[in-house]
């Protein structure tokens, strides 16, 4: 898409491009995105230029969350616990608490990543020419061989296969639906569905890093020449600001603000 846009050859009025296989899928901070051929939804979406770039992360996250949630809500219920009263413990797969948006723009089911979003912006001077959202959604893949710490797919969640073409059509619809919503509605949805939005959780500060942002290792003091704080702290999410900063409040009531890559969850 970027190549065609750069050459002026991208078809006017078209916004969506998707494929069944990536030879070099990538995610945030240079991470690799693993995808078995023909098993997942892999697409790029052309977005209109905006000055408030982080809002695009919010909008696309909301659309992807709504697509996955619609599938989970239609899936057959599963039993989450065992025991004599199994029948009484059956709950819908589509519980709102299970599917969340992990700041800034990953989609999580419980503590596992089901979708990732990467937005690239073409900026010339001070003008944003266009933005492209790359989306990787784990759909029917059940075996993951990379060193990604916590992948999950919709099939692993529901036990059933999902039609990828129909899912892509649903995503296109949800993107347009989110774009038609007011910014206040989109932000409200995003904040209400944040991962670990209630209670205090462990976070860890990072000094300067372009390295993967997943799990904390207590023995990790230095990697690729970068130093990491070794002391996690407890905090709750107080807010996400329009520029993308996360506002954390520690147990003493002190607020800390971080941009992406400056802090990470301990999962």
């Amino acid at each position: 898409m970027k190549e065609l846009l750069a050459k002026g050859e991208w078809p006017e009025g078209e916004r969506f491009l998707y494929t069944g296989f990536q030879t070099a899928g990538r995610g945030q901070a240079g991470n690799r995105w693993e995808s078995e051929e023909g098993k997942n939804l892999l697409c790029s979406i052309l977005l209109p230029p905006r000055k408030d770039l982080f809002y695009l992360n919010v909008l696309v996250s909301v659309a992807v969350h709504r697509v996955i949630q619609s599938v989970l809500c239609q899936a057959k219920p599963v039993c989450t616990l065992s025991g004599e009263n199994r029948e009484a413990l059956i709950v819908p797969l589509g519980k709102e608490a299970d599917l969340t948006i992990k700041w800034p723009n990953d989609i999580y089911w419980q503590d596992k990543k089901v979708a990732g979003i990467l937005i690239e912006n073409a900026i010339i001077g001070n003008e944003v020419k266009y933005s492209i959202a790359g989306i990787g959604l784990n759909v029917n893949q059940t075996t993951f061989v990379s060193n990604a710490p916590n992948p999950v797919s919709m099939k692993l969640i529901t036990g059933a296969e999902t039609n990828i073409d129909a899912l892509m059509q649903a995503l296109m619809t949800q993107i347009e639906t989110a774009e038609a919503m007011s910014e206040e509605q989109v932000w409200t949805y995003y904040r209400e569905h944040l991962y670990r939005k209630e209670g205090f959780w462990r976070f860890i500060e990072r000094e300067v890093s372009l390295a993967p942002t997943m799990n904390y290792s207590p023995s990790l003091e230095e990697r690729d020449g970068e130093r990491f704080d070794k002391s996690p702290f407890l905090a709750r999410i107080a807010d996400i600001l329009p520029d993308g900063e996360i506002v954390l409040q520690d147990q003493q009531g002190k607020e800390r603000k971080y941009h992406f890559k400056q802090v990470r969850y301990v999962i």
Side-chain angles (χ1 to χ4, degrees):
M1 184 183 283
K2 286 195 299 182
E3 290 173 358
L4 292 176
L5 284 166
K7 293 188 287 187
E9 297 177 2
W10 180 255
E12 186 176 352
E14 296 292 339
R15 302 185 57 197
F16 302 95
L17 177 70
Y18 81 110
T19 183
F21 182 61
Q22 289 176 312
T23 57
R26 60 191 176 91
Q28 297 283 4
N31 292 344
R32 179 175 175 268
W33 184 264
E34 175 192 357
S35 181
E36 186 179 347
E37 185 169 358
K39 294 290 187 179
N40 303 306
L41 195 159
L42 309 164
C43 68
S44 294
I45 301 172
L46 183 62
L47 300 169
R50 294 182 62 102
K51 291 183 179 179
D52 50 342
L53 294 176
F54 185 74
Y55 180 75
L56 297 178
N57 289 274
V58 175
L59 184 144
V60 176
S61 297
V62 167
V64 176
H65 184 278
R66 286 164 63 97
V67 166
I68 301 171
Q69 188 68 35
S70 67
V71 175
L72 299 191
C73 285
Q74 295 173 29
K76 293 181 180 180
V78 295
C79 183
T80 58
L81 299 173
S82 60
E84 295 180 359
N85 299 319
R86 278 184 76 90
E87 295 303 318
L89 299 173
I90 292 179
V91 295
L93 276 169
K95 285 194 308 180
E96 287 289 330
D98 281 345
L99 190 72
T100 56
I101 301 169
K102 177 174 168 287
W103 174 83
N105 56 10
D106 286 335
I107 309 299
Y108 265 45
W109 183 77
Q110 297 182 0
D111 290 323
K112 296 181 180 294
K113 183 174 177 177
V114 66
I117 298 164
L118 176 65
I119 295 182
E120 297 187 16
N121 306 291
I123 301 175
I124 300 177
N126 293 322
E127 184 179 358
V128 181
K129 291 296 184 181
Y130 59 82
S131 298
I132 298 175
I135 298 171
L137 171 52
N138 296 330
V139 184
N140 295 322
Q141 185 167 340
T142 56
T143 302
F144 294 87
V145 297
S146 74
N147 61 354
N150 62 344
V152 72
S153 69
M154 294 169 65
K155 184 174 181 179
L156 287 173
I157 298 169
T158 66
E161 293 215 348
T162 299
N163 183 290
I164 296 174
D165 290 338
L167 195 64
M168 182 65 206
Q169 291 294 325
L171 175 59
M172 293 163 61
T173 298
Q174 286 294 351
I175 289 288
E176 293 170 350
T177 298
E179 289 174 333
M181 295 165 63
S182 69
E183 292 188 18
E184 182 181 0
Q185 288 174 313
V186 172
W187 267 106
T188 297
Y189 188 102
Y190 179 88
R191 291 187 173 106
E192 286 182 350
H193 292 85
L194 278 172
Y195 176 70
R196 293 183 174 178
K197 72 182 182 72
E198 303 291 346
F200 286 83
W201 300 89
R202 291 198 303 163
F203 292 84
I204 184 167
E205 290 184 353
R206 314 181 62 151
E207 291 197 358
V208 178
S209 178
L210 294 178
T213 57
M214 275 306 307
N215 294 340
Y216 167 67
S217 171
S219 63
L220 181 62
E221 184 174 6
E222 185 171 332
R223 180 174 60 206
D224 298 331
E226 298 169 358
R227 293 191 301 115
F228 294 81
D229 188 313
K230 294 174 63 178
S231 302
F233 62 95
L234 285 172
R236 69 175 189 89
I237 298 176
D239 199 6
I240 307 294
L241 301 181
D243 66 354
E245 279 189 312
I246 188 170
V247 182
L248 301 179
Q249 184 182 64
D250 63 26
Q251 291 179 303
Q252 288 71 46
K254 179 182 177 182
E255 288 192 348
R256 314 182 187 195
K257 297 179 182 179
Y258 300 95
H259 285 291
F260 178 54
K261 303 189 188 80
Q262 291 181 334
V263 70
R264 57 179 172 166
Y265 298 82
V266 178
I267 299 176

